Structure formats: structure tokens, C-alpha cells
Amino acid sequence: MTKTMLAALLFSSTFAVQAFDLISAGEFGDELEMRKFKDIDAVGATRDIPPPYPKIEIISPNLGSEIKPPVKIEVRFIGENGVAINPDSFKVNYGVLGIDITARIRKATEIKMDGFTAEGAALPEGKHSLKLTLSDAEGRTTTSTLKFKIIEAE
């Protein structure tokens, strides 16, 4: 094997993104059934409590654009008043059913004190809602809901 071939092999394997199912088709079907009883048409991010609290900042996906799978989810955590973030407290629940998908995120990426980036999240076409929960070292907890729409991949 030549040096060029070896370099190409190493480069391609180093930067390959492993796709992962954030939500299965069956879970999405169950979610659609439950939505008949609850409206989640809004697209955006909301926060449930007033400051001071740790902040959850959504970097990606860009909520103002059409989102095609696979999805890059990039989130930053910001401590308030110098209080450290507790990354072990981070949880993600999906939709009105509240399906705990935290383990799927943790399997795809490391949750750090300053946030995470998970690339290759597979989601079915349609509307989705993720409830992100995070606490700081003083036990102050914040919840942010991320709502977005996936359009059909080309």
C-alpha cells in the first residue's frame, strides 16, 4: 500500500460521521397519534424558568431554515454567576410522550460541561420536539424545549 493510499484511508476513517437513530419510525408513529390531543406546531426554543439558571444555547440545527436529515445537534451550556454545569444531569425527552432519548445522545457523543455536538441524527420527516433539561453544581435546573421540522431528504 502506498503512502498516498494509506493517508487517504486514514483521512476518510477519521472524519466519517456515524449516523444514529434519534427517533425510530415506530416512536414517531406513536408520537403522531398522541399529537392528536396536543398541539406542537410552534417552531423554536423556549425556556421554562426565570434567571439565574444554567443556560442551554441551541447552535444547530438552525431553527430558521429547512432541516434535512441527518441532523447535526450542537448545544452549548452556560453556567450562571460562575457556577459549574453538571453534565451528568443532562436529559433529553422526545415529544408529548416524553420518551427518554438521553442514552442515544450519550452514545453518539460526550456530554461535557460546555455542551455537546452530535452529528448524524436520523429523524423521520415531520415536526419534532426535544425537551432538554440541565442542572448546575448548585442544583438549579433549567428546561429548554427545541421544536423543529424535518423535511424530506433529497
Side-chain angles (χ1 to χ4, degrees), residues 63-113:
L63 301 178
S65 66
E66 295 180 336
I67 303 169
K68 297 178 183 178
V71 178
K72 176 182 178 182
I73 302 172
E74 185 175 359
V75 176
R76 292 290 158 246
F77 304 144
I78 304 164
E80 184 74 19
N81 299 329
V83 179
I85 298 296
N86 177 1
D88 292 336
S89 71
F90 180 70
K91 290 190 178 261
V92 183
N93 293 91
Y94 176 77
V96 296
L97 294 176
I99 300 168
D100 187 347
I101 59 171
T102 309
R104 298 173 200 184
I105 297 283
R106 289 187 185 279
K107 186 176 179 182
T109 190
E110 181 181 0
I111 308 300
K112 299 178 183 178
M113 287 181 59

Side-chain angles (χ1 to χ4, degrees):
M1 181 176 292
T2 69
K3 288 182 183 180
T4 304
M5 290 173 59
L6 181 58
L9 178 64
L10 287 173
F11 181 78
S12 66
S13 65
T14 302
F15 294 101
V17 173
Q18 180 67 37
F20 66 101
D21 286 333
L22 191 60
I23 298 299
S24 71
E27 290 167 330
F28 188 62
D30 293 344
E31 174 72 11
L32 290 176
E33 285 298 313
M34 288 304 296
R35 285 189 195 163
K36 294 176 183 176
F37 306 103
K38 187 172 181 177
D39 180 26
I40 69 156
D41 281 341
V43 173
T46 60
R47 192 171 282 128
D48 294 339
I49 62 172
Y53 51 79
K55 292 176 179 61
I56 300 172
E57 180 180 350
I58 308 301
I59 307 299
S60 181
N62 180 351
L63 301 178
S65 66
E66 295 180 336
I67 303 169
K68 297 178 183 178
V71 178
K72 176 182 178 182
I73 302 172
E74 185 175 359
V75 176
R76 292 290 158 246
F77 304 144
I78 304 164
E80 184 74 19
N81 299 329
V83 179
I85 298 296
N86 177 1
D88 292 336
S89 71
F90 180 70
K91 290 190 178 261
V92 183
N93 293 91
Y94 176 77
V96 296
L97 294 176
I99 300 168
D100 187 347
I101 59 171
T102 309
R104 298 173 200 184
I105 297 283
R106 289 187 185 279
K107 186 176 179 182
T109 190
E110 181 181 0
I111 308 300
K112 299 178 183 178
M113 287 181 59
D114 64 347
F116 69 91
T117 301
E119 297 192 49
L123 292 117
E125 180 181 0
K127 296 175 185 173
H128 300 276
S129 175
L130 302 177
K131 180 180 176 183
L132 311 174
T133 305
L134 179 71
S135 298
D136 64 19
E138 292 183 359
R140 298 179 298 189
T141 301
T142 189
T143 301
S144 184
T145 303
L146 172 63
K147 297 178 181 182
F148 55 95
K149 183 178 180 180
I150 299 291
I151 63 170
E152 186 175 344
E154 294 176 352

